[in-house]
Amino acid sequence: MEKNYPLPHRFFALCEVLAVFFAGSLLAQMLFQLAGVTGHPLMALMGDSPDMVAIALDLSKLLMLQFAGWFALIVFFSWMNSEKLKAELKLTRHGYQFIQLVVIGVLAWCIGDIANKAVFLLDQTYDLGTSVPWREALLNGEKTTGWWLVMFVGSFGLIPVLEEILWRGYVQSKLIRFFSPVVGIVITAGLFVFSHAQYHQLDLYHASTIIGLTISALALGWITHKTGSIIPAIVMHALLNFPTAGLFLYVTIGLMVGISAWQWQRIRAFFADVLQPQAFTHFSLTNVALLLAGVAAMFTLSQAPALILKLSIACVAIAVVASIAGLVKRLRNKSPV
């Protein structure tokens, strides 16, 4: 039976998640300075004859430092809250065989990525809009070995692992505990989608991309919750981000349709599980308000980065006070009467 946590507990859980993201971003900035990292490596893609191998190496360094800032705070709050980190982050097979988890990830990709592929198809036909310059330069770049190395680091190799540990491993696990599975998955999806600042533009291309990304994020969240492992989400995320263009896009869509037809019974059972009426009873006005507050905070960060310090201080203060209060309560409960 699910616990019905009061509003302050749910608010504190959301504040901890935002504290990790905002304060972790600041911590990462400090690590960048210590490591001598200046600027974003992908901006070099817009220059003449960019060194793709050097860009891939610089991007690897930047990502490891960036996620180190977030993971350091995850470890801190997990210690404060007496949580077992490996289980908390879903870094287990949870009783499944590895191949089973891979298959689940592939099937979820066939469902969750179809909206994104539809956007790519429409964009190829009707030109829905233009992405940010560095992304356009990357997508349209010559497919050399260096280009594939950059894509491996920044798209379908390293990024899926790091992002799934952060979002589905930490954020979703934290929110599900204090809300409900469906609400936790939806809030995590909202935060995940709007943390991608490159899509924060008001045109048809980016609006369509946000919708497709939201559907994918919900599928990522659901398979993580149902399996208790982030392995399927990593597999699905890698397939989502794998570059497809031209004829290969049509081949990929054909493969997705073929797999879906072959495994239709499993997919139908998946939808029946997801769309149970009782799953939506947890969407109270309060939960919706907290979701919108979290999404607004992510959007504000991309539009007004100068506010990150104020947001960090506020969220960290609330999260630390809540963690200390929980620690004191646990110590009292362990004390002999």
Side-chain angles (χ1 to χ4, degrees):
M1 186 175 179
E2 295 176 0
K3 294 182 179 179
N4 185 20
Y5 283 96
L7 175 59
H9 289 217
R10 286 176 281 159
F11 176 70
F12 293 151
L14 182 60
C15 283
E16 181 185 316
V17 165
L18 294 177
V20 166
F21 190 83
F22 293 133
S25 298
L26 287 180
L27 184 56
Q29 293 294 330
M30 296 171 60
L31 294 175
F32 293 159
Q33 293 180 5
L34 291 173
V37 175
T38 56
H40 199 294
L42 293 179
M43 300 302 290
L45 290 168
M46 295 180 291
D48 295 328
S49 302
D51 186 341
M52 301 301 281
V53 175
I55 291 173
L57 293 175
D58 289 342
L59 183 60
S60 299
K61 182 178 180 181
L62 181 142
L63 288 174
M64 296 307 293
L65 292 172
Q66 183 179 57
F67 279 85
W70 290 325
F71 291 156
L73 290 179
I74 289 173
V75 171
F76 169 74
F77 281 114
S78 296
W79 173 76
M80 288 285 291
N81 296 323
S82 299
E83 295 164 347
K84 295 181 179 180
L85 194 60
K86 184 178 179 180
E88 178 71 9
L89 299 182
K90 302 292 187 290
L91 297 172
T92 66
R93 290 187 289 111
H94 202 65
Y96 289 86
Q97 294 181 3
F98 182 78
I99 189 63
Q100 288 179 300
L101 296 173
V102 171
V103 169
I104 291 170
V106 172
L107 291 177
W109 165 67
C110 292
I111 303 168
D113 194 26
I114 196 66
N116 293 310
K117 294 297 184 283
V119 172
F120 295 159
L121 272 178
L122 289 171
D123 188 48
Q124 283 190 173
T125 306
Y126 299 106
D127 190 15
L128 301 179
T130 304
S131 186
V132 292
W134 64 260
R135 190 166 181 267
E136 286 290 316
L138 179 60
L139 294 177
N140 297 320
E142 184 182 356
K143 308 305 185 286
T144 61
T145 301
W147 183 89
W148 280 104
L149 185 59
V150 172
M151 293 300 290
F152 177 84
V153 172
S155 186
F156 65 88
L158 181 60
I159 277 289
V161 176
L162 296 176
E163 287 196 340
E164 290 311 314
I165 293 174
L166 173 65
W167 292 106
R168 256 57 64 174
Y170 165 70
V171 174
Q172 182 170 294
S173 297
K174 172 66 65 175
L175 295 179
I176 282 179
R177 184 182 304 118
F178 288 91
F179 290 83
S180 71
V182 172
V183 175
I185 290 168
V186 170
I187 294 180
T188 302
L191 298 178
F192 171 75
V193 169
F194 282 92
S195 70
H196 290 70
Q198 66 267 34
Y199 302 130
H200 295 179
Q201 300 184 50
L202 294 176
D203 58 38
L204 185 57
Y205 174 77
H206 289 91
S208 303
T209 301
I210 287 289
I211 293 172
L213 188 58
T214 300
I215 294 171
S216 300
L218 292 172
L220 287 165
W222 191 255
I223 59 173
T224 301
H225 171 64
K226 296 301 290 185
T227 62
S229 170
I230 61 169
I231 294 173
I234 291 172
V235 171
M236 178 183 169
H237 199 148
L239 292 171
L240 278 166
N241 285 2
F242 196 85
T244 55
L247 179 61
F248 189 56
L249 175 59
Y250 294 92
V251 173
T252 302
I253 293 174
L255 182 63
M256 295 168 72
V257 172
I259 294 174
S260 298
W262 176 41
Q263 295 291 327
W264 173 244
Q265 294 299 326
R266 287 189 180 185
I267 292 173
R268 187 172 66 175
F270 170 84
F271 275 111
D273 193 17
V274 170
L275 299 176
Q276 291 181 12
Q278 60 268 30
F280 300 93
T281 60
H282 296 275
F283 281 99
S284 64
L285 183 60
T286 300
N287 288 338
V288 172
L290 289 174
L291 165 63
L292 294 177
V295 168
M298 289 295 183
F299 188 76
T300 300
L301 176 61
S302 69
Q303 302 302 310
L307 292 176
I308 187 173
L309 180 59
K310 295 179 181 178
L311 290 170
S312 298
I313 293 173
C315 292
V316 168
I318 294 170
V320 168
V321 169
S323 296
I324 292 174
L327 179 61
V328 171
K329 184 177 180 180
R330 288 193 296 275
L331 292 174
R332 285 180 176 175
N333 290 337
K334 291 181 180 179
S335 299
V337 179

